[in-house]
Amino acid sequence: MKAIQTSNAPAAIGPYSQAIEAGDFLYISGQIPIDPATGEVVEGIEAQTKQVLANLQAILKEADLSFANAVKFTIFLSSMEDFATVNEIYEAALEEPYPARACVEVSRLPKDVLVEMDIVAYSKA
């Protein structure tokens, strides 16, 4: 196993790695919409979704991967009312074949953000 770390995504806010490479797979920890340049949470569901995707891309890039390597996304929303907006931004960021995905509403996310996502990626894709 190998830890993947980049300053182009927010540092972990707990005892975990941004990502762990295990064999041909990369497991990216849940990313929230913190701008790594400022350390602040961006505002609004559109900006938050775009920031989360940018953070995920930065970690993938550090491992020489891209969204094309993603095999599974999990999306956590504080409200399913935001599903259509998040889905539209997500769809624009990815290409077919789309990865498997789960999307769930949760009662609360770290720092009271509106969206969090994690990824499993496969390096041989």
Side-chain angles (χ1 to χ4, degrees), residues 5 10-18 29-32 34 39 41 109-113 116:
Q5 179 72 30
I13 55 175
Y16 61 90
S17 299
Q18 285 178 330
S29 295
Q31 294 297 301
I32 61 173
I34 294 175
V41 172
L109 290 165
K111 298 189 175 278
D112 293 317
V113 300
E116 179 176 357

Side-chain angles (χ1 to χ4, degrees), residues 76-80 82 104-109 113-115:
F76 304 92
L77 298 175
S78 62
S79 171
M80 277 305 226
D82 293 326
V104 296
E105 180 180 275
V106 295
S107 64
R108 194 169 180 201
L109 290 165
V113 300
L114 304 174
V115 60

